[in-house]
Amino acid sequence: MPFQSNYVGEDVLPFVAKGNALPSPEPRPPVLVILHQEQSTPGRVGNVLRALGHRLDIRRPRFGDQLPETLDAHAGAVIFGGPMSANDPDEYVRKEIDWIEIPLREQRPFLGICLGAQMLAKQLGAPVAPHPQGQTQIGYYPICPTAAGLALCPHWPDQVYHWHREGFELPAGTELLAEGDDFPVQAFRAGHAFGLQFHPDVTYAMMHCWTARGNMNLPGARPRHLHFADRAVFDIAERAWLMDFIDRWLKRMPLSVLSEAAE
């Protein structure tokens, strides 16, 4: 069943309380969603996008779906995570990395989450590799926003959810938005393109699935019970941050569009 959003912003509550109908919003362009497994979902990111009025154009290149040659018909694009590596030789992995050149060239909002962020880093020329001491991040870990990150979003969560064994260096010419300990680059920006090493997309149901099926014995991984205990502490802040971040991200317009509007 398609997601049905019941979200009503505080700014429209007085209008609704008087028995008035909400005005019909203008249709918004869909957001391209790229997933890597048959049962994968866009999770909370998808919920936020729908709540903001966007349909989801979901494609799985791994299973034969083609990616568009332009994002003119989309509000933006998101590449999600997966168990594969950005260094894998599979054709679909290489094609996705190459495809990221399109939103970069067209200055369209692009977001890479975990694997998607590593693909963005690789497209921009940065190496992607496991931690030198074999450490992983599986569970909640602290992050620290930079001055640039705070300028973008003033309220970052203290800890965010991770599930990865590889990280990446900051690509040349990009802006670091948040940093961490074992994996220093946690969020970065290249124009209208953003990469997040962590997983703000994970819902409570997804966390149950991942912790039941994933390997929880890797170096640095948090015990399963702490995933849920930490979620009770940190999830409200991460959820609020995500809504703010996605809203700001989608409002970034190509310079060409801004130039035309100024004429």
Side-chain angles (χ1 to χ4, degrees):
M1 176 184 293
F3 173 83
Q4 299 293 325
S5 172
N6 294 318
Y7 172 80
V8 179
E10 292 181 357
D11 55 332
V12 300
L13 283 177
F15 186 86
V16 176
K18 295 177 182 178
N20 298 307
L22 289 171
S24 298
E26 290 291 326
R28 296 187 176 184
V31 172
L32 180 67
V33 168
I34 300 172
L35 301 175
H36 298 103
Q37 294 178 283
E38 287 182 291
Q39 303 302 320
S40 294
T41 77
R44 180 175 284 168
V45 168
N47 294 346
V48 171
L49 290 170
R50 293 185 184 103
L52 291 172
H54 294 274
R55 294 178 293 107
L56 305 184
D57 178 4
I58 297 178
R59 307 197 192 188
R60 294 176 169 85
R62 181 184 180 188
F63 302 104
D65 292 344
Q66 297 299 308
L67 295 178
E69 296 181 359
T70 178
L71 282 177
D72 283 346
H74 293 83
V78 187
I79 295 184
F80 284 81
M84 57 289 298
S85 168
N87 295 314
D88 287 348
D90 302 76
E91 184 179 7
Y92 76 91
V93 172
R94 291 183 283 107
K95 282 187 174 180
E96 283 187 38
I97 294 171
D98 291 342
W99 179 86
I100 295 174
E101 185 271 335
I102 292 175
L104 292 174
R105 171 168 42 85
E106 295 183 346
Q107 300 172 345
R108 300 286 178 176
F110 172 83
L111 175 60
I113 297 176
C114 199
L115 172 64
Q118 295 166 6
M119 288 179 164
L120 173 61
K122 202 167 180 67
Q123 159 65 226
L124 293 170
V128 176
H131 188 275
Q133 281 75 51
Q135 291 295 305
T136 67
Q137 287 188 317
I138 299 176
Y140 281 89
Y141 300 81
I143 61 168
C144 181
T146 63
L150 290 171
L152 174 73
C153 288
H155 304 294
W156 288 67
D158 293 329
Q159 295 197 27
V160 291
Y161 196 66
H162 294 76
W163 198 295
H164 64 99
R165 291 183 290 181
E166 293 186 307
F168 51 88
E169 295 182 11
L170 184 67
T174 66
E175 193 170 37
L176 182 65
L177 301 178
E179 51 195 345
D181 294 330
D182 287 331
F183 293 85
V185 182
Q186 288 292 327
F188 73 100
R189 181 180 74 88
H192 290 17
F194 292 77
L196 306 177
Q197 180 61 86
F198 51 95
H199 275 284
D201 54 313
V202 172
T203 63
Y204 189 72
M206 290 167 65
M207 186 179 289
H208 269 281
C209 180
W210 290 14
T211 57
R213 298 179 181 178
N215 185 351
M216 309 296 292
N217 298 313
L218 295 171
R222 300 284 196 255
R224 187 174 191 263
H225 73 277
L226 287 183
H227 291 230
F228 298 95
D230 289 345
R231 185 179 181 88
V233 177
F234 301 113
D235 185 61
I236 291 177
E238 187 172 12
R239 183 171 54 200
W241 173 87
L242 178 64
M243 190 76 176
D244 184 38
F245 172 81
I246 292 292
D247 186 43
R248 293 170 185 262
W249 169 70
L250 283 173
K251 289 177 179 175
R252 307 181 78 87
M253 299 178 64
L255 296 179
S256 57
V257 174
L258 293 175
S259 299
E260 291 174 4
E263 292 179 356

